[in-house]
Amino acid sequence: MEKTEKNLYTDDLKKDLKLYFIIAFLVPYIMGIPLYMAKKKGLDVTAFPTAQMFMPAAAVIVIILRRKIREDLIPKKFFYVYLLSTATMLITCMLTFILDKNTIVNITNISMMVFSIIGIIVLILEGKEKRRAYGLDLKNTGKILLLSLLFLFLMIVRLLLGAVSEGGMNELLKVLTNPIIWVTALLMFINIFFVYMPFLGEEYGWRYYLQPILQKKYGMLKGVFVLGILWGIWHLPLNLFYYSDGKTGLISLIVQIIVCIGLGIFFAYAYAKTQSIWSVVLLHMLNNNWVAVFSGDLTGKSMENQVFDWKSIPLILGLVLITYALFAFSKYVRDKKYRVPIMYERLEEKM
C-alpha cells in the first residue's frame, strides 16, 4: 500500500492528534480537580503525578488499537498490560480520599513494580518484529549507557553552578562526597526494570509519537522547541497543586517550560543518536530520581510545595543554556536526515 508525502497529514491523522490531546492533556487537567481537593484536605497526593505520567503513552496506544494499522504487528498483550496499569494508577488517585497515606504509597509503588515486571516479560514474548514495528525495540545499548553517564555529568555541572550562584556549595559538597548517594545513584540503572512504566508513559507519547510529527511539520529544531513548550504546559496541574506552594504556581510553570525545552533538546539528541525509545526512558527516569538523590532527599518529598521566585528564572535559564540547550547545535537535532520516522511512516514500510 503506497501513500504520498502529502497523504501523511490526512483527516485520519488530524483525528488521531485530537484524540491524543484529549487523553494526554485533557484527562490530566481534569485530574487536577481531585488533586486540588486532596491537597486542600492535606492528603498525600503522590499518586497523582505518577498517574499523569501514564497518559501520553495511553493516548498513543488507544490510537494504535483504534486504527489497527498492520494489526498483525501490534504488541496487543503489552499494550493491554499498559492500559491496565494506567487504569490502576487512576483508581489509586481516587482511593487517596478513603485510604491512609502509607496504603496509597504502597499501592502506587507495588503496582508500578508489578506492572513493570509483567510488562517486560510480555514485551519479550511479543517478539522482535512487533517491538520493532511499534518502536519498542532495544538497540545501541552502549550508546545509551554513555549518554546516561554524560547526562549525569551535565546534571552535576548544573547542580554545582546553581550551588555557586545561590551560595549552597557546602551543602552540595556534603551530598556529593557521600558514598551512599553515589551508590544509590548508580543503582538506578538497575532500578529502571522495576519503575519504567510511567517514564515510558511520557516518552512513548512525547518522543516516539509527537516529536517526529512536530519535526516533520515545523522543522527539526523548531519541532523540538514546540514540543518542549507543550511538555511544560502539560505539567500545569502539577505546577499549581503539587510542585509549588500554591501561591507561586505561575512561576513554577515558567520554570517547568524552560527546563522541559532544555531537557527536550537533549532527549531529542539522545533519541536520534540511539534510535531507541528506551534511551530517553532511562534518561527521564534518571533525571527525576537523580534530582531527589542529589538534593539529599531520597524520599522525593522535596519536589512538593516548593516556593518559587521570579529572581530564579534567569539563573535556571542560564543553567539550561549552558548544559542541555547546547545540543541544539548537534546534527542529530538540526539535520532532518536524523529525524526519527513518525509512527505512520514506520508502518508504511511494512506494507
Side-chain angles (χ1 to χ4, degrees):
M1 178 178 179
E2 295 183 358
K3 291 186 179 181
T4 64
E5 191 81 4
K6 184 178 180 180
N7 287 335
L8 290 173
Y9 290 94
T10 61
D11 290 338
D12 285 338
L13 179 54
K14 291 178 181 178
K15 291 177 182 177
D16 288 350
L17 286 172
K18 287 180 182 178
L19 181 58
Y20 175 84
F21 281 103
I22 288 172
I23 298 175
F25 275 81
L26 185 57
V27 172
Y29 275 42
I30 292 174
M31 289 297 293
I33 298 173
L35 169 58
Y36 169 76
M37 294 170 60
K39 194 68 176 275
K40 289 289 286 185
K41 290 178 177 289
L43 303 175
D44 183 82
V45 293
T46 52
F48 283 87
T50 302
Q52 181 165 327
M53 293 175 72
F54 279 77
M55 301 316 299
V60 178
I61 290 171
V62 170
I63 289 169
I64 291 171
L65 294 175
R66 174 177 170 270
R67 286 288 296 271
K68 298 180 180 179
I69 305 174
R70 280 309 304 268
E71 190 172 7
D72 57 310
L73 292 177
I74 298 176
K76 289 184 179 179
K77 294 177 182 177
F78 175 75
F79 283 166
Y80 289 143
V81 168
Y82 189 88
L83 291 178
L84 181 59
S85 67
T86 303
T88 301
M89 290 299 138
L90 291 174
I91 292 171
T92 301
C93 291
M94 297 299 100
L95 292 176
T96 296
F97 293 94
I98 58 177
L99 299 178
D100 62 88
K101 172 184 175 181
N102 291 334
T103 302
I104 291 296
V105 171
N106 288 334
I107 291 175
T108 302
N109 292 337
I110 292 173
S111 296
M112 185 163 50
M113 290 178 62
V114 169
F115 281 115
S116 291
I117 294 171
I118 294 174
I120 289 178
I121 296 172
V122 171
L123 191 57
I124 291 173
L125 295 176
E126 292 278 23
K128 183 182 294 185
E129 190 176 6
K130 289 185 178 181
R131 292 196 300 270
R132 183 180 298 136
Y134 280 92
L136 291 165
D137 52 326
L138 175 62
K139 52 187 175 182
N140 295 319
T141 53
K143 289 182 180 179
I144 292 174
L145 291 175
L146 287 175
L147 283 168
S148 299
L149 293 175
L150 173 60
F151 189 65
L152 172 60
F153 171 75
L154 292 174
M155 175 169 283
I156 293 173
V157 169
R158 181 176 147 196
L159 289 171
L160 287 172
L161 292 175
V164 169
S165 302
E166 297 177 345
M169 193 64 163
N170 291 333
E171 289 77 9
L172 180 59
L173 287 176
K174 288 179 182 178
V175 174
L176 293 178
T177 54
N178 185 345
I180 296 177
I181 294 296
W182 284 99
V183 170
T184 304
L186 294 175
L187 282 176
M188 287 182 189
F189 286 98
I190 300 174
N191 193 44
I192 189 173
F193 296 104
F194 305 101
V195 298
Y196 71 86
M197 275 288 193
F199 302 102
L200 177 64
E202 285 202 48
E203 294 308 319
Y204 200 65
W206 304 136
R207 243 58 59 178
Y208 169 75
Y209 185 76
L210 192 57
Q211 178 183 294
I213 293 175
L214 294 176
Q215 286 183 313
K216 191 173 183 67
K217 184 174 179 63
Y218 297 111
M220 291 292 287
L221 186 56
K222 188 177 179 181
V224 171
F225 188 80
V226 171
L227 177 59
I229 295 175
L230 291 173
W231 187 19
I233 294 173
W234 174 81
H235 288 85
L236 178 61
L238 303 180
N239 291 122
L240 294 177
F241 310 128
Y242 183 77
Y243 296 134
S244 73
D245 61 345
K247 299 178 181 179
T248 56
L250 176 59
I251 307 175
S252 172
L253 177 62
I254 294 173
V255 169
Q256 187 78 60
I257 292 173
I258 293 172
V259 172
C260 283
I261 291 173
L263 285 175
I265 291 172
F266 187 82
F267 285 7
Y269 165 76
Y271 188 32
K273 190 173 179 65
T274 62
Q275 296 286 306
S276 175
I277 194 64
W278 297 105
S279 63
V280 284
V281 170
L282 175 60
L283 291 177
H284 197 147
M285 188 274 288
L286 295 177
N287 176 73
N288 287 26
N289 288 277
W290 273 342
V291 167
V293 169
F294 289 115
S295 69
D297 175 24
L298 298 179
T299 66
K301 298 297 288 183
S302 62
M303 299 295 292
E304 293 184 53
N305 301 315
Q306 299 175 74
V307 178
F308 293 87
D309 191 329
W310 287 107
K311 296 178 181 178
S312 66
I313 291 179
L315 172 62
I316 293 169
L317 179 59
L319 293 175
V320 168
L321 288 173
I322 291 171
T323 51
Y324 309 128
L326 289 174
F327 288 88
F329 297 98
S330 166
K331 63 183 180 182
Y332 293 101
V333 180
R334 300 185 70 89
D335 194 332
K336 64 180 181 181
K337 76 177 182 180
Y338 292 103
R339 179 180 61 84
V340 178
I342 66 175
M343 181 180 73
Y344 308 93
E345 291 171 333
R346 287 175 181 263
L347 296 173
E348 282 177 1
E349 294 175 358
K350 302 288 184 181
M351 292 180 177

